[in-house]
């Protein structure tokens, strides 16, 4: 592993920005209709439960990344295979985020620009930052979180004073009962983005004050969850549920409706710039987790030699992951959630925790 340390503030900035990610822009929680914001709050509560699973594993193996303690729990052979699968999962999820950003730019801002050019540019910058080290990634997050907060406050102010907000669009609450809310929150909202924070189990050994990991993680989940819930409620208030269900990027549509005095308008750049920062950091963390995991599994000395080859694979994967953006969205909402996220983010970690608890109990009895 890299010899580096990150502070608690840097870890919070990384986690907070990571959680916002693409969830801030896409139709997040919309299967619940008007109650999307409630589904997000419930999903946040489920994310807190997942956090305790990840945190208890970290407490038992504070100096090891996920790929390290999975071999302690399942043995070298099975644990090695599962660790490699997690590395592939991190790489796949990074590719999905890169594709999300590329498709947003192509569809909204740069329609004449090839998708490959956008993805290639973003991945090369990510590879450069990772080459500089995790400490640089952490300092970048510290800068980005300030810019994100300023952009968020400004965007919310313009939307609220634009006269387009009608909170009657989110009423009545729980109009169709709890079933659509619960089926949206579990497992969709729980796994994305809160469950995806399992990748931070690869970064926690770098924390200079490990005793703060619990507070930082919980604060990041709660604060980002509240912002995502508010964003969903604001989008519903401006667009209405019918328009929001048809919109691929509802936040972009919401900010695009702002027109103050025929002077302050076309604020789409705020959304694009926000997504650039969140996807940049989120993809960087996933790619870094992939590289560190492979270094740990194959016992390599330097992670830098892997950055460019895996970066090239990431570019190729982001282009071939789906033939169109509609297919990309369909895979993300159906196949990815049910068959990839649920096992890797919920089932496997819970199984690991149960086995590690049993192993520790047996060890204490033996001693």
């Amino acid at each position: 592993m890299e010899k580096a340390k990150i502070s608690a503030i840097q870890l919070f900035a990384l986690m907070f920005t990571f959680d916002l990610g693409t969830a801030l822009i896409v139709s997040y929680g919309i299967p619940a209709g008007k109650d999307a914001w409630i589904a997000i709050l419930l999903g946040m509560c489920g994310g807190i439960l997942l956090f305790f699973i990840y945190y208890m594993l970290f407490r038992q193996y504070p100096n090891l990344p996920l790929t390290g303690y999975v071999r302690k729990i399942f043995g070298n052979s099975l644990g090695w295979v599962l660790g490699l699968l997690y590395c592939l999962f991190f790489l796949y999820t990074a590719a999905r985020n890169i594709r999300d950003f590329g498709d947003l730019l192509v569809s909204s801002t740069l329609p004449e620009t090839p998708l490959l050019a956008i993805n290639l540019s973003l991945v090369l910058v990510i590879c450069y930052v990772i080459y500089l080290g995790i400490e640089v990634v952490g300092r970048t997050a510290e800068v980005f979180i300030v810019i994100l907060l300023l952009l968020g406050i400004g965007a919310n102010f313009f939307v609220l004073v634009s006269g387009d907000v009608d909170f009657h669009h989110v009423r009545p609450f729980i109009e169709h009962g709890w079933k659509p809310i619960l089926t949206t929150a579990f497992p969709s909202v729980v796994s994305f983005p809160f469950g995806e924070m399992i990748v931070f189990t690869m970064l926690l050994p770098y924390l200079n004050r490990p005793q703060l990991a619990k507070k930082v993680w919980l604060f990041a989940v709660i604060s980002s969850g509240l912002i995502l819930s508010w964003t969903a409620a604001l989008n519903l208030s401006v667009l209405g549920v019918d328009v929001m269900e048809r919109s691929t990027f509802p936040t972009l549509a919401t900010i695009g409706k702002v027109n103050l005095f025929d002077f302050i308008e076309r604020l789409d750049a705020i959304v694009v710039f926000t997504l650039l920062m969140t996807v940049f950091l989120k993809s960087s963390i996933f790619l870094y987790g992939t590289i560190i995991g492979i270094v740990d599994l194959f016992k390599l000395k330097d992670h830098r030699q892997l950055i460019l080859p895996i970066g090239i694979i990431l570019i190729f994967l982001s282009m071939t992951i789906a033939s169109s953006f509609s297919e990309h969205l369909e895979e993300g909402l159906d196949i990815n959630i049910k068959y990839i996220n649920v096992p890797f983010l919920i089932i496997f970690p819970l199984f690991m925790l149960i086995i590690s608890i049993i192993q520790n109990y047996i060890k204490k009895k033996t001693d």
Side-chain angles (χ1 to χ4, degrees):
M1 291 177 62
E2 182 183 355
K3 293 182 179 179
K5 290 294 179 181
I6 58 175
S7 67
I9 295 176
Q10 290 171 344
L11 180 65
F12 171 77
L14 287 169
M15 288 181 165
F16 179 79
T17 310
F18 179 96
D19 259 359
L20 296 183
T22 55
L24 199 63
I25 311 299
V26 298
S27 299
Y28 188 54
I30 199 57
K34 295 179 180 180
D35 300 312
W37 63 279
I38 300 177
I40 295 172
L41 291 178
L42 287 178
M44 179 189 72
C45 295
I48 292 174
L49 294 178
L50 285 182
F51 152 73
F52 281 106
I53 295 176
Y54 306 155
Y55 180 71
M56 289 174 70
L57 286 169
F58 165 69
R59 284 291 302 273
Q60 294 184 52
Y61 308 96
N63 299 316
L64 295 177
L66 172 64
T67 51
Y69 61 69
V70 72
R71 283 175 287 162
K72 294 279 187 179
I73 296 171
F74 290 111
N76 284 330
S77 299
L78 181 59
W80 191 93
V81 172
L82 188 56
L84 182 61
L85 289 176
Y86 266 104
C87 291
L88 296 176
F89 168 72
F90 296 153
L91 186 63
Y92 169 77
T93 311
R96 293 198 61 83
N97 282 272
I98 297 292
R99 182 62 179 265
D100 282 336
F101 175 72
D103 280 319
L104 172 68
L105 276 189
V106 169
S107 63
S108 64
T109 309
L110 304 172
E112 302 299 324
T113 305
L115 180 63
L116 177 61
I118 297 172
N119 291 3
L120 178 64
S121 302
L122 181 59
V123 172
L124 287 178
V125 176
I126 289 172
C127 289
Y128 175 69
V129 172
I130 292 177
Y131 181 84
L132 296 177
I134 189 61
E135 291 181 350
V136 174
V137 178
R139 290 196 293 269
T140 304
E142 283 183 295
V143 176
F144 278 7
I145 193 173
V146 176
I147 300 174
L148 281 174
L149 291 175
L150 292 176
L151 288 177
I153 292 171
N156 276 272
F157 172 77
F158 287 129
V159 171
L160 290 172
V161 302
S162 67
D164 296 318
V165 179
D166 183 2
F167 285 107
H168 288 91
H169 286 157
V170 299
R171 298 170 60 187
F173 302 145
I174 319 178
E175 182 180 12
H176 301 290
W178 283 98
K179 184 177 180 181
I181 298 175
L182 293 174
T183 54
T184 301
F186 308 99
S188 178
V189 176
V190 172
S191 62
F192 168 73
F194 304 109
E196 290 178 343
M197 293 182 77
I198 192 173
V199 71
F200 282 98
T201 56
M202 304 294 294
L203 272 65
L204 287 180
Y206 293 117
L207 186 60
N208 60 358
R209 297 172 67 186
Q211 67 272 19
L212 295 178
K214 183 178 180 180
K215 292 181 179 179
V216 170
W217 196 319
L218 279 176
F219 188 45
V221 170
I222 293 172
S223 57
S224 60
L226 292 175
I227 288 177
L228 290 173
S229 179
W230 163 253
T231 302
L234 190 62
N235 289 339
L236 284 165
S237 300
V238 173
L239 303 176
V241 67
D242 293 333
V243 176
M244 189 167 171
E245 285 176 344
R246 295 194 302 268
S247 178
T248 305
F249 303 109
T251 306
L252 188 66
T254 297
I255 199 74
K257 291 176 72 68
V258 173
N259 185 354
L260 296 175
F261 315 114
D262 293 324
F263 176 68
I264 300 177
E265 56 182 351
R266 298 294 299 168
L267 301 178
D268 309 28
I270 292 179
V271 176
V272 174
F273 195 44
T274 297
L275 189 65
L276 171 61
M277 290 186 289
T278 56
V279 169
F280 172 80
L281 282 177
K282 189 169 184 176
S283 301
S284 298
I285 294 166
F286 273 122
L287 183 58
Y288 188 80
T290 302
I291 293 170
I292 291 301
I294 292 175
V295 168
D296 181 50
L297 291 173
F298 290 92
K299 302 187 184 304
L300 303 177
K301 294 182 179 180
D302 188 5
H303 73 283
R304 294 181 178 181
Q305 61 188 336
L306 293 176
I307 294 175
L308 188 58
I310 296 180
I312 294 172
I313 295 173
L314 177 59
I315 296 169
F316 174 78
L317 192 58
S318 69
M319 295 297 300
T320 59
I321 203 169
S323 59
S324 64
F325 187 55
S326 58
E327 181 182 330
H328 171 67
L329 287 178
E330 185 179 350
E331 288 179 0
L333 295 173
D334 186 20
I335 298 174
N336 191 49
I337 294 293
K338 294 179 182 178
Y339 302 107
I340 299 179
N341 281 6
V342 170
F344 281 95
L345 305 180
I346 301 175
I347 297 176
F348 292 161
L350 182 59
F351 198 41
M352 279 191 281
L353 179 61
I354 293 172
I355 293 178
S356 65
I357 291 174
I358 294 173
Q359 288 176 339
N360 288 336
Y361 177 77
I362 295 174
K363 185 178 179 181
K364 288 181 180 178
K365 281 288 185 180
T366 305
D367 293 340

